[in-house]
Amino acid sequence: MRAARLLSLLLLLQNRGRLTAGELAAELGVSIRTVYRDIESLSGAGIPVYGDAGHHGGYELVGGYRTRLTGLHADEAESLFLAGLPGAADDLGLGEVLAAAQLKLTAALPAPLRDRAGRVRERFHLDALGWYREQDSPPALMALAQAVWNQRRIRVRYRRWAEPQEVERELDPYGLVLKAGVWYLVAAVDGAARTYRVSSILRLDVGEEGFERPDGFDLAAHWQDYLRVYDARRLRLQASVRIAPALLSALPDRLDAALVRAVEASAGPPGADGWVTATVPLESVELAVPALLSLGPDIEVLAPEELRRAIAATAAAVLDRYRPVDASDRAGTGDLSSSAADSVASRERAARTAKP
């Protein structure tokens, strides 16, 4: 561990030039006192590290010294596949490994390319999470990742929607997928690949028994197939709707991609008023009502009639909830005195009279 930290310190000085003890401590996740000891160790090993005190002081390598210890360990090479997702690397226990690998790669680059890589890191950042969401970091994730990598059969206790809600399964873990900040496990039960949300795993036991992955299994291709089947399975209600021009152009920001594609594929030519008729696949009447009401008055459901009635009933209930409250209603609640209620009633009558 200390040897790896010394190498990281050396590569930091090589890549970035002069750095203070505080900056080095922050990069390495250690105390400033530890940095001082590591600097002494490097000097004792013959590394030409020069320290300068004062406000603009710091440590640097002198004489253009460059280390050739830039070979990647196996773990570091594997972690590079997560280079664009530092949060995911941390979740899998590869955060420090990834940082070390990136340092080694940067050290191996010629100076112009090293500067260019630094500018890219300063100017571009990938945040794969959706808005208003936090990174999903289930407790079982790291152990599960090890089981996936080492091809070890696992036994899980899993919480699901159907009854019974808690079940036990013996699984062959094929791979992990990070989708919109949520981790999913693709694993086989009796040879059939299925998908499990990692945060719903209540207990995980990793066995010593291994398993063989199917020849040619492609995790990315399997995931895309799964998403297509999932959308087809959940979107069982076909609704005929009319959509206003303003909403039609804004649909990509208001609905998920599967629904937008369905609208684009089924939309007919605009009518005289610019509205178009299209078919929208939805999960159920219960889930469709709030989703469609959230789109406001720029969409009208034509069919099925059950969905029209449900939307009308919900809209009527909302309107009733927000109807103007007259003075007698207020007085009956006991919250206002009769004189205060009369005053409220007078102001409301005046307001109604003043409206055009």
Side-chain angles (χ1 to χ4, degrees), residues 128-139:
L129 280 178
W131 285 102
Y132 317 117
R133 299 198 61 159
E134 295 182 351
Q135 180 74 31
D136 181 34
S137 302

Side-chain angles (χ1 to χ4, degrees), residues 47-333:
I47 305 298
V49 183
Y50 172 75
D52 192 10
H55 183 67
H56 297 290
Y59 294 101
E60 63 181 317
L61 297 172
V62 297
Y65 178 87
R66 294 185 63 81
T67 177
R68 298 303 174 191
L69 299 176
T70 55
L72 295 180
H73 297 186
D75 288 346
E76 294 168 345
E78 293 155 7
S79 74
L80 291 176
F81 290 100
L82 298 169
L85 297 170
D90 287 338
D91 287 344
L92 297 174
L94 294 172
E96 293 184 6
V97 175
L98 174 61
Q102 290 173 328
L103 273 175
K104 289 185 177 183
L105 277 181
T106 306
L109 293 173
L113 292 181
R114 190 163 61 248
D115 293 341
R116 186 181 182 90
R119 289 199 301 273
V120 171
R121 184 174 58 249
E122 291 167 358
R123 288 162 174 78
F124 299 98
H125 173 69
L126 172 63
D127 183 357
L129 280 178
W131 285 102
Y132 317 117
R133 299 198 61 159
E134 295 182 351
Q135 180 74 31
D136 181 34
S137 302
L141 183 60
M142 289 182 62
L144 196 55
Q146 290 294 322
V148 168
W149 185 250
N150 295 317
Q151 292 186 207
R152 291 289 182 266
R153 188 160 289 161
I154 62 175
R155 189 168 188 85
V156 301
R157 187 167 185 83
Y158 185 78
R159 183 178 60 248
R160 60 179 186 173
W161 291 106
E163 293 290 345
Q165 287 193 324
E166 293 188 10
V167 295
E168 291 196 359
R169 295 284 186 268
E170 189 173 84
L171 307 173
D172 293 345
Y174 288 171
L176 288 163
V177 176
L178 180 62
K179 170 73 170 177
V182 179
W183 286 98
Y184 295 91
L185 169 68
V186 176
V189 180
D190 298 326
R194 299 182 182 177
T195 301
Y196 303 85
R197 183 164 175 162
V198 176
S199 61
S200 294
I201 294 178
L202 305 176
R203 191 184 72 240
L204 169 67
D205 296 317
V206 180
E208 294 297 324
E209 183 182 1
F211 66 91
E212 292 297 324
R213 289 169 60 87
D215 291 338
F217 179 80
D218 186 323
L219 181 61
H222 169 83
W223 182 254
Q224 291 305 313
D225 290 340
Y226 166 78
L227 291 181
R228 283 191 291 269
V229 173
Y230 175 74
D231 280 339
R233 187 174 65 245
R234 72 182 177 94
L235 302 175
R236 295 171 295 176
L237 176 66
Q238 299 293 316
S240 177
V241 300
R242 293 179 68 240
I243 305 174
L247 177 59
L248 190 64
S249 61
L251 278 183
D253 297 323
R254 307 289 295 277
L255 295 177
D256 69 47
L259 303 187
V260 174
R261 288 195 299 269
V263 169
E264 293 173 346
S266 63
D273 55 1
W275 288 52
V276 301
T277 300
T279 299
V280 180
L282 301 165
E283 292 190 54
S284 66
V285 170
E286 292 77 13
L287 295 176
V289 169
L292 294 175
L293 282 176
S294 71
L295 300 176
D298 288 337
I299 187 168
E300 177 191 1
V301 174
L302 303 177
E305 185 61 28
E306 179 188 7
L307 180 56
R308 278 182 62 90
R309 288 197 301 269
I311 289 177
T314 303
V318 172
L319 182 62
D320 184 62
R321 176 70 65 188
Y322 288 96
R323 76 187 188 284
V325 181
D326 60 31
S328 60
D329 288 340
R330 296 185 186 223
T333 64

